[in-house]
Amino acid sequence: MNERPDPREYLRDGPDLTGAELDRRLTETWRDAPGFIGWLCSVDHKSIGRRYLVTAIVFLSLGGILAALMRLQLSGPNHHVLSPDRYNQIFTMHGTTMMFLFAVPVMDAMAIYLVPLMIGTRNIGFPRLNAFSYWMYVAGGALLWVAFVVNVGPDAGWFSYVPLSGPQYSPGKRVDVWAQMVTFTEIAALSVAVSMTATILKQRAPGMTLARTPLFVWAMLVVSLMVIFSMPAVALASSMLMSDRLVGTHFFNTYEYGDALLWQHLFWFFGHPEVYIIFLPATGFVSEIVGAFSGRQTFGHTAIVLALSATGLLAFGLWVHHMFATGLPRMGYAFYTSASMAVAVPAGIQIFCWIATIWSGRPRFEVPLLWVVGFIVTFVIGGLTGVMLASVPLDLQVHDTYFVVAHFHYVLIGGAVFPLLGAITYWFPKMTGRMMSESIGRWQFWLSFVSFQVAFFPMHILGIEGMPRRVYTYPASMGWGTLNLLSSLGAVLFAVSVVVFVINMIVSLRSGARAPANPWNAPGLEWATSSPPEPYNFAHIPVVRDSTPLWSPELTFARGLRVEDRELVMTTVLEAKPDLREPSAQPTIWPLVAAAATTVVFIATMFTPWALAIGALPVAVALTAWFWPKDRGPEGEPVID
Amino acid sequence: MATSADPRPSFSTDLEPLPTHAFGHRSLTWWGIIAFFLIEGTAFVLAIAAYFYILDKEQAWPPPPFPPPTMLAGTLFTVLLLLSEIPNTLVKLAAETHDLPRVRRLLVIISLIGAVLMVLRGFELNSLNVLWYQNAYGSAVWMLMVLHTTHIATDWFDTLVLTALMHTDHGGEGRRFVDCSENAIYWRFVWLIWLPIYAMVYWLPRLV
Ligand code: HEM
């Protein structure tokens, strides 16, 4: 290729341009425009990540309010706080909000904020796609909740089984709202997965080989690939459902030789990996926290990476275990039972590695590590009931009872929310420049941990006693009243503890102790820059020699990136050798416009299929404007004249 | 402890000599495109699986009284689509050697082929001999056709935009050649994925 020296001299960072002068110039290049419009145009991964995080916490609160309503209704027999129809909407909204609008996006939020900092780059890859994903997510969430408020909230459960959700048994728009919300959030999650994969593979700091890549980043790589392979299934399924409902196709209509189980296969082909899509990032948090607070590199780095990958693969072999009650071939039972049990092995490996890290290190039991311990205990219980459920006879017995509800709240709350709260406490100083209160954090942890067990442990017993899930009430003669009351009390206390956490965040944001660059003396690159980081993340790109760069005697840097244009260094996939300098996108309004156009189309399709044809035009215009290069200016560095 | 805010950082690597664009897996967008292939490929594989799942439930394929789709339009479409790989390979090579005039000419040709393909696709949809709401067989066939048509339409539109772009002065930038090369890769995906669908929509009903 005809490589030639640059046609012009560009300003570059290095020994001659560093310190305050470099900071001024890089800020000029990388900061968002001021004001509201600047905010709307931002493509900075830190702003988008923060927005994602705040939005996900809002949805957590909304889902939590619904949970409180359900627990109020169930706290004793024959209550009439909620009508049966309202109850159906509420449990569906609770499950859907928690899974699609809280659990997956909140992990994305943390990753969007943290991964570029952990791998030492200036911004995420495809930053505009990333901004687009946020707007799609907000639009999908708003659609669902606005519909709920006007009494068009979906009511067929968070997995909307046909035929119940089909045109015959669910007339009206409730299920269409659900299906379209799925489309929005899938697009958002897939966009993040694409950005994340490319960023992790190509933008790691020089020297950060795959083996030296932080474990949270590894977890996100595996998760992104899982999203890429699983989300198309639910997007396809929800499109088929919509078209059955709106244009009269017969995918799931048995009378015309369609098949209802097709829905379940497609849904769980996504739905089971989904659980690990939520859980694996949480294990990534745990690996980071355990290492930092034990003062040693996390034990068994390679074993953990292998366990993550194995979980990712096995998760795709498990979907049928949600369908044991449907009648399957005998071989099928044997296979899926063993696959379901096998997934406990990599989970076990990770847990042993964490315990070994704490054991052999000098652990400091500060709040983030407390959450890790709470997580390990709770998750082990949830995992055990999971292994129990993997056996077909037992599953058939407790299928669709509160035993299952208890199981998945143990894994979802214990396995994902606890690590998340630990992770927020841990990275809060990086994101905001302030520490969260340690004393509030401690007693809030204990409140959460104990109230969680009070709320959910009794559900196991209720399930074994035969209490079905998704019932709006039960007769007094069943004798389930006391345990339900206990569970409801626990749920109230748990909700209080989450409120306390959020208050701690808000108060600390204003008046918490100022955080230095590396308040926990942690080893990762995200701590090598100021708290909160400048818009450009790193003044100079760090060069990595091992997996704990900040614990090595000296950190060195790479020079030579352009300062007056947004430029990133691309490194090779395995070895992370510096390979290219590529530009990074400027802020722009077009992702927002494209998301708005797509939103109009998606909502209109719920009423007429023609919307797809007509609406394609504005979407196409917005996308073209988005991709069209703006000014050639100095960033061309053309190779031919 | 060292941070990048150190007043006197020490430097061990120089990035200045690195090139500013490259083709294939060295570029970031290539990985983005691969990720999109995987997403769309998965959607196709699952749609194909769903088609077979439904085939298994039907009595006959196609169920009477529906005749199988008429072959002519679909076969012409397939032949032209395969032939389009010739200019597609040429434009990829031209882009990788930074031959702007040639890239411009070939892109115009590919855009025209795309237009003809869209017309043929219209005829194809008219010769399936079943509508999506008539039975599950019809739904399955239309699902595959709509999925693929979306891809043809999107990539045709991309090609039109790219053709316009390469005719402006942005055409001389190295990164725009990378865009052309990557668009060519995407086109390959679109025709490769068509082959199984062609076999399933047109031949399978004649064989089972
Ligand atoms: C304050 C904490 C929570 C409480 C008290 C709570 C309570 C409940 C209850 C009582 C049900 C069963 C409703 C029924 O079957 O009638 C339920 C269902 C469910 N919950 Fe939660 N929950 C909480 C948090 C969460 C979180 C954090 C998640 C996810 C990350 C979650 C995910 C789900 C799902 C997926 C369902 C199933 C919905 C359905 O049946 O369609 N929950 N929850």
Side-chain angles (χ1 to χ4, degrees):
Chain A
M1 266 188 2
N2 36 354
E3 264 327 313
R4 308 185 320 153
D6 293 344
R8 222 189 80 180
E9 276 307 309
Y10 297 105
L11 268 185
R12 293 169 193 281
D13 73 303
D16 305 331
L17 182 52
T18 185
E21 173 65 5
L22 177 64
D23 170 64
R24 193 180 61 71
R25 289 184 184 267
L26 281 175
T27 306
E28 186 59 32
T29 306
W30 284 89
R31 67 150 192 237
D32 292 329
F36 182 60
I37 300 290
W39 188 85
L40 292 178
C41 293
S42 175
V43 296
D44 182 337
H45 74 100
K46 298 182 290 302
S47 321
I48 307 288
R50 273 197 308 265
R51 273 174 223 180
Y52 248 107
L53 185 61
V54 171
T55 315
I57 292 178
V58 168
F59 282 119
L60 169 69
S61 317
L62 290 173
I65 292 173
L66 298 181
L69 286 173
M70 289 192 290
R71 284 318 319 172
L72 189 63
Q73 165 74 10
L74 296 176
S75 58
N78 299 317
H79 280 187
H80 289 285
V81 187
L82 304 170
S83 68
D85 176 64
R86 185 61 80 181
Y87 190 86
N88 287 349
Q89 285 189 59
I90 285 186
F91 76 69
T92 305
M93 286 291 294
H94 167 75
T96 305
T97 301
M98 289 299 194
M99 298 300 275
F100 292 97
L101 300 176
F102 162 66
V104 175
V106 84
M107 299 300 170
D108 280 344
M110 297 298 279
I112 290 169
Y113 192 95
L114 291 171
V115 164
L117 291 168
M118 290 182 152
I119 64 176
T121 183
R122 293 203 193 288
N123 200 355
I124 196 168
F126 311 123
R128 291 180 180 177
L129 185 65
N130 191 41
F132 174 75
S133 90
Y134 175 72
W135 300 118
M136 290 302 285
Y137 160 51
V138 173
L143 168 68
L144 183 74
W145 274 81
V146 169
F148 175 62
V149 169
V150 297
N151 199 24
V152 197
D155 55 359
W158 84 275
F159 37 71
S160 276
Y161 274 180
V162 290
L164 175 61
S165 62
Q168 244 178 331
Y169 299 100
S170 290
K173 292 287 166 214
R174 288 180 172 185
V175 173
D176 300 309
V177 167
W178 181 88
Q180 228 30 338
M181 183 283 313
V182 168
T183 318
F184 278 98
T185 50
E186 300 315 283
I187 292 181
L190 283 165
S191 305
V192 176
V194 170
S195 300
M196 206 48 83
T197 314
T199 310
I200 295 174
L201 292 178
K202 291 300 294 174
Q203 293 183 204
R204 299 194 314 279
M208 186 182 277
T209 61
L210 279 182
R212 292 174 192 158
T213 301
L215 288 167
F216 176 68
V217 176
W218 261 108
M220 284 316 298
L221 180 61
V222 173
V223 164
S224 302
L225 292 174
M226 292 178 73
V227 168
I228 285 174
F229 287 112
S230 68
M231 298 254 173
V234 69
L236 185 72
S238 69
S239 311
M240 288 159 93
L241 179 61
M242 286 272 281
S243 71
D244 268 17
R245 295 173 53 84
L246 298 173
V247 298
T249 53
H250 301 289
F251 294 110
F252 307 121
N253 178 0
T254 327
Y255 299 106
E256 289 292 346
Y257 302 103
D259 193 73
L261 282 189
L262 177 58
W263 170 266
Q264 295 196 21
H265 282 294
L266 286 173
F267 188 88
W268 290 117
F269 187 82
F270 142 82
H272 195 80
E274 163 99 339
V275 177
Y276 294 90
I277 288 169
I278 295 168
F279 170 60
L280 290 186
T283 68
F285 298 148
V286 172
S287 297
E288 298 290 335
I289 292 173
V290 158
F293 286 90
S294 303
R296 57 155 292 168
Q297 190 194 349
T298 308
F299 179 86
H301 196 277
T302 318
I304 293 184
V305 169
L306 289 175
L308 286 169
S309 319
T311 314
L313 285 176
L314 280 174
F316 282 91
L318 297 188
W319 83 92
V320 177
H321 78 200
H322 296 265
M323 300 166 58
F324 280 158
T326 59
L328 294 170
R330 193 161 279 283
M331 252 316 279
Y333 280 126
F335 175 80
Y336 288 107
T337 295
S338 34
S340 305
M341 292 188 175
V343 83
V345 175
I349 292 179
Q350 291 210 59
I351 292 180
F352 285 123
C353 289
W354 297 322
I355 294 178
T357 312
I358 299 177
W359 201 281
S360 62
R362 279 166 279 110
R364 291 176 283 153
F365 283 91
E366 292 178 58
V367 177
L369 194 59
L370 285 184
W371 283 111
V372 166
V373 176
F375 151 76
I376 293 180
V377 172
T378 312
F379 186 75
V380 167
I381 302 178
L384 285 178
T385 52
V387 174
M388 285 163 76
L389 284 173
S391 95
V392 177
L394 196 113
D395 181 67
L396 290 180
Q397 192 60 38
V398 296
H399 183 80
D400 269 346
T401 69
Y402 265 84
F403 191 86
V404 174
V405 177
H407 159 70
F408 64 69
H409 285 90
Y410 266 78
V411 279
L412 287 171
I413 298 183
V417 177
F418 284 6
L420 175 75
L421 298 186
I424 292 179
T425 316
Y426 177 54
W427 279 292
F428 190 84
K430 182 50 60 186
M431 296 184 178
T432 64
R434 307 242 184 203
M435 309 293 288
M436 280 176 75
S437 156
E438 170 87 15
S439 52
I440 301 184
R442 266 178 201 283
W443 75 257
Q444 186 259 330
F445 163 76
W446 285 109
L447 179 62
S448 284
F449 182 75
V450 174
S451 63
F452 169 81
Q453 312 291 343
V454 176
F456 290 95
F457 194 80
M459 292 187 190
H460 290 114
I461 305 170
L462 285 168
I464 291 171
E465 288 177 1
M467 178 168 165
R469 68 193 279 201
R470 297 179 170 176
V471 287
Y472 85 104
T473 192
Y474 49 91
S477 57
M478 299 306 298
W480 298 331
T482 319
L483 284 176
N484 269 307
L485 183 61
L486 186 63
S487 165
S488 293
L489 287 176
V492 170
L493 290 178
F494 188 74
V496 169
S497 81
V498 175
V499 172
V500 171
F501 186 87
V502 173
I503 292 178
N504 189 358
M505 280 174 81
I506 296 171
V507 171
S508 306
L509 187 60
R510 300 194 169 185
S511 52
R514 293 254 172 222
N518 188 359
W520 313 106
N521 187 23
L525 283 186
E526 76 271 30
W527 305 105
T529 180
S530 55
S531 303
E534 301 299 333
Y536 49 84
N537 289 358
F538 298 91
H540 308 287
I541 302 300
V543 174
V544 173
R545 296 212 178 71
D546 53 35
S547 50
T548 49
L550 296 203
W551 288 346
S552 10
E554 193 201 29
L555 187 62
T556 63
F557 298 91
R559 69 161 293 274
L561 282 187
R562 280 165 43 187
V563 166
E564 286 165 318
D565 294 292
R566 295 184 170 211
E567 197 169 63
L568 306 175
V569 51
M570 297 293 138
T571 52
T572 56
V573 171
L574 303 176
E575 296 294 315
K577 295 209 173 70
D579 187 33
L580 291 177
R581 289 177 288 119
E582 285 196 352
S584 174
Q586 303 278 345
T588 165
I589 194 75
W590 290 107
L592 173 57
V593 176
T598 317
T599 302
V600 173
V601 178
F602 281 177
I603 293 179
T605 11
M606 287 166 37
F607 300 92
T608 160
W610 291 108
L612 268 189
I614 301 165
L617 192 68
V619 174
V621 170
L623 291 179
T624 308
W626 164 351
F627 287 108
W628 196 270
K630 297 302 168 300
D631 66 311
R632 191 150 151 221
E635 70 195 286
E637 286 192 43
V639 284
I640 52 164
D641 292 325
Chain B
M1 186 199 55
T3 76
S4 58
D6 271 357
R8 224 175 291 286
S10 68
F11 293 96
S12 56
T13 306
D14 189 2
L15 306 174
E16 183 168 348
L18 299 178
T20 54
H21 75 279
F23 295 94
H25 67 84
R26 293 173 64 197
S27 110
L28 184 74
T29 36
W30 188 85
W31 288 93
I33 299 218
I34 294 297
F36 276 110
F37 281 171
L38 295 177
I39 294 172
E40 290 158 28
T42 311
F44 273 110
V45 168
L46 291 167
I48 289 172
Y51 175 99
F52 280 107
Y53 192 92
I54 291 170
L55 186 152
D56 188 48
K57 309 283 159 191
E58 272 282 8
Q59 313 295 27
W61 202 255
F66 299 96
T70 314
M71 299 282 294
L72 181 65
T75 309
L76 283 178
F77 177 92
T78 311
V79 172
L80 183 59
L81 188 61
L82 286 177
L83 288 176
S84 73
E85 181 52 30
I86 299 170
N88 191 47
T89 303
L90 293 177
V91 83
K92 188 164 182 294
L93 292 175
E96 284 163 19
T97 50
H98 302 116
D99 183 345
L100 185 59
R102 213 170 138 79
V103 166
R104 286 181 173 164
R105 250 179 290 127
L106 285 162
L107 277 176
V108 171
I109 296 177
I110 296 176
S111 303
L112 290 175
I113 295 183
V116 179
L117 285 172
M118 291 300 287
V119 173
L120 282 174
R121 178 48 60 85
F123 280 103
E124 254 193 290
L125 294 179
N126 213 14
S127 58
L128 295 175
N129 298 329
V130 66
L131 291 172
W132 58 89
Y133 54 79
Q134 284 171 319
N135 55 23
Y137 159 77
S139 309
V141 168
W142 276 84
M143 167 180 66
L144 294 180
M145 295 303 290
V146 168
L147 203 55
H148 191 260
T149 306
T150 325
H151 281 77
I152 287 275
T154 327
D155 199 33
W156 182 50
F157 180 77
D158 278 358
T159 310
L160 290 178
V161 173
L162 195 61
T163 310
L165 182 60
M166 294 309 280
H167 282 81
T168 67
D169 5 313
H170 292 295
E173 287 164 29
R175 295 182 52 78
R176 301 289 85 81
F177 289 114
V178 179
D179 292 346
C180 290
S181 160
E182 284 163 0
N183 189 55
I185 304 178
Y186 191 81
W187 188 248
R188 281 185 189 158
F189 172 75
V190 171
W191 69 255
L192 263 174
I193 202 73
W194 170 247
L195 298 179
I197 297 182
Y198 172 66
M200 285 162 65
V201 170
Y202 291 94
W203 289 96
L204 201 72
R206 293 185 156 75
L207 299 177
V208 292

